[in-house]
Amino acid sequence: MKRRTKVAAVRGGLATAGVVGALAGVHALRRAGAKVLWPALRDEYRDENFDLIEQDRAGAVLTEDGVRLATRECGPADAPVTVIFVHGFCNSMESFHFQRRDLEKRWGASARLVLFDQRGHGRSGTPTAQSCTVAQLGRDLAAVIQATAPTGRVVLVGHSLGGMTVLAAAAQFPELFAERVIGIALLSTAAAEVTAAGITQLLRNPAIDGFRVAVHTAPALIQAGRSTARHVITPILHVSSYHGQVSPTLSRFTTLMIDQTPVETIVKFLKAIELHDESAALPTLAHLPVLVLGGTRDLVIPFRNSRALARELPNSELIRLARAAHMAHLQFPDIVNGALDRLLVRAGALEPADQRPSEVSSG
């Protein structure tokens, strides 16, 4: 009887924490100027096939500590350049849906696209808490490069935590970046100082601190009560993804992707993001063409982080999206894809668009 009472009390406490956390998160976002609802006049993605990636060639990469990373790829296996996409916190490789959909057609035989789920995300394996560091993600990326593109030229595209992953790889493997990496895209990300603003400030409230403790002391109970846990952290990620009008279907797609991230993964990586500082990697990238892109409405990684990155990277193109929040590559895919196309041209991997052979209809 006492045990039942104790379990009930814990569950009741979690439910209360969930409500308090949700209210605290929404209050923090409102105070920062975010809109909690995303109205839309039309749903242009109602018939969009967001499972497109399931058609791609599936594979896996085993990391140095035995975590299995799920991969997908499309495009010719012998393409002269491989473009590897690295997703963000609480996302999966599907977050690059529009890049995979449109750039495969645009680049044709010129490039192969490789996407993968970071450890603890999507279809990839579950890591230990100790291995959930940005430095380890950098080593994971190096393993993905070695396994999926052991030779040839490589372009890396990182969003949010994925951008931090790219920087961590550059810090640890400068020879790889000097010899084989020919271009970098850093989308809605930061080299350091994410503790001063953005997601770590938004997630600092008593309910979330209590939730972190609960995850470490009773992870099985937390995992079983995912609906409660979502109310603590994920509402902040939901409402900070977009700004202004957005397709309801796209909004649901993003929300589902966030909600499918295991609760333990969310908590394990929060501290890693807070401690992250990959500024030492920037000199390694100084010789490369770089795309730096951020949104002025991004509450997770504020645009000033993008501006700071561009200042340190002399060969960078800085794009400021005035209406974009954190998921700019999903809300404004045409702008992002055009910028990635220009990056490959600057990297020497593509001819300028007006010099490429046009598509010939077979009639």
Side-chain angles (χ1 to χ4, degrees):
M1 184 68 179
K2 287 183 179 179
R3 180 172 177 79
R4 286 184 184 174
T5 303
K6 184 176 180 181
V7 170
V10 171
R11 286 176 176 160
L14 288 174
T16 303
V19 174
V20 174
L23 292 174
V26 170
H27 175 69
L29 286 160
R30 281 178 172 150
R31 194 173 54 209
K35 294 183 179 179
V36 175
L37 297 177
W38 310 310
L41 300 177
R42 61 191 178 90
D43 190 355
E44 67 269 39
Y45 295 123
R46 178 180 298 172
D47 300 320
E48 181 71 21
N49 177 20
F50 283 105
D51 292 325
L52 179 65
I53 202 167
E54 296 294 344
Q55 302 174 16
D56 295 340
R57 301 187 295 274
V61 173
L62 201 63
T63 66
E64 61 185 6
D65 59 343
V67 176
R68 180 185 179 277
L69 304 180
T71 67
R72 292 288 189 278
E73 65 173 74
C74 63
D78 59 350
V81 63
T82 299
V83 184
I84 300 178
F85 293 82
V86 195
H87 70 76
F89 180 54
C90 288
N91 289 181
S92 66
M93 67 175 93
E94 279 90 344
S95 66
F96 289 109
H97 168 77
F98 294 117
Q99 286 66 54
R100 182 259 170 268
R101 184 194 72 179
D102 298 340
L103 293 176
E104 182 200 19
K105 299 173 186 174
R106 182 182 294 199
W107 292 341
S110 299
R112 178 167 60 109
L113 280 63
V114 173
L115 303 93
F116 72 99
D117 286 330
Q118 301 231 58
R119 59 176 53 215
H121 293 76
R123 304 169 188 79
S124 289
T126 302
T128 64
Q130 294 74 23
S131 73
C132 290
T133 66
V134 177
Q136 180 60 59
L137 295 181
R139 292 192 289 276
D140 290 353
L141 175 55
V144 170
I145 295 172
Q146 181 58 39
T148 64
T151 61
R153 299 179 296 171
V154 175
V155 172
L156 302 174
V157 180
H159 168 252
S160 189
L161 181 61
M164 300 175 193
T165 299
V166 171
L167 294 172
Q172 298 173 83
F173 305 98
E175 68 288 346
L176 175 64
F177 282 70
E179 296 169 4
R180 298 191 49 219
V181 176
I182 62 170
I184 299 287
L186 301 171
L187 314 178
S188 306
T189 194
E193 298 182 356
V194 291
T195 55
I199 189 171
T200 52
Q201 286 297 311
L202 293 175
L203 292 175
R204 282 179 178 171
N205 64 62
I208 290 175
D209 288 340
F211 178 66
R212 293 186 208 215
V213 173
V215 167
H216 292 301
T217 57
L221 180 60
I222 291 289
Q223 190 64 29
R226 281 183 58 81
S227 61
T228 298
R230 288 196 193 104
H231 289 299
V232 182
I233 294 176
T234 55
I236 294 175
L237 301 175
H238 293 167
V239 298
S240 58
S241 294
Y242 299 109
H243 173 78
Q245 295 182 359
V246 65
S247 153
T249 299
L250 181 61
S251 176
R252 286 191 296 271
F253 166 73
T254 308
T255 298
L256 181 62
M257 182 170 54
I258 293 170
D259 287 347
Q260 287 177 335
T261 305
V263 175
E264 288 184 78
T265 294
I266 296 172
V267 176
K268 288 172 183 176
F269 275 107
L270 282 178
K271 180 57 71 174
I273 295 172
E274 208 170 316
L275 298 176
H276 150 73
D277 186 342
E278 304 301 331
S279 302
L282 296 177
T284 301
L285 308 181
H287 70 288
L288 291 173
V290 179
L291 165 65
V292 179
L293 182 147
T296 62
R297 300 289 184 165
D298 191 344
L299 300 177
V300 178
I301 304 289
F303 181 73
R304 63 175 169 271
N305 293 98
S306 296
R307 187 181 289 116
L309 274 172
R311 278 198 303 265
E312 299 296 325
L313 298 168
N315 294 318
S316 62
E317 176 188 8
L318 175 62
I319 296 182
R320 176 181 178 271
L321 294 180
R323 294 176 294 132
H326 195 57
M327 303 298 285
H329 57 309
L330 279 169
Q331 190 171 9
F332 301 102
D334 291 344
I335 295 174
V336 174
N337 292 348
L340 290 172
D341 192 71
R342 291 194 301 275
L343 174 65
L344 263 66
V345 170
R346 290 195 292 132
L350 291 177
E351 295 288 341
D354 58 357
Q355 296 180 26
R356 293 179 217 167
S358 58
E359 190 173 306
V360 179
S361 172
S362 59

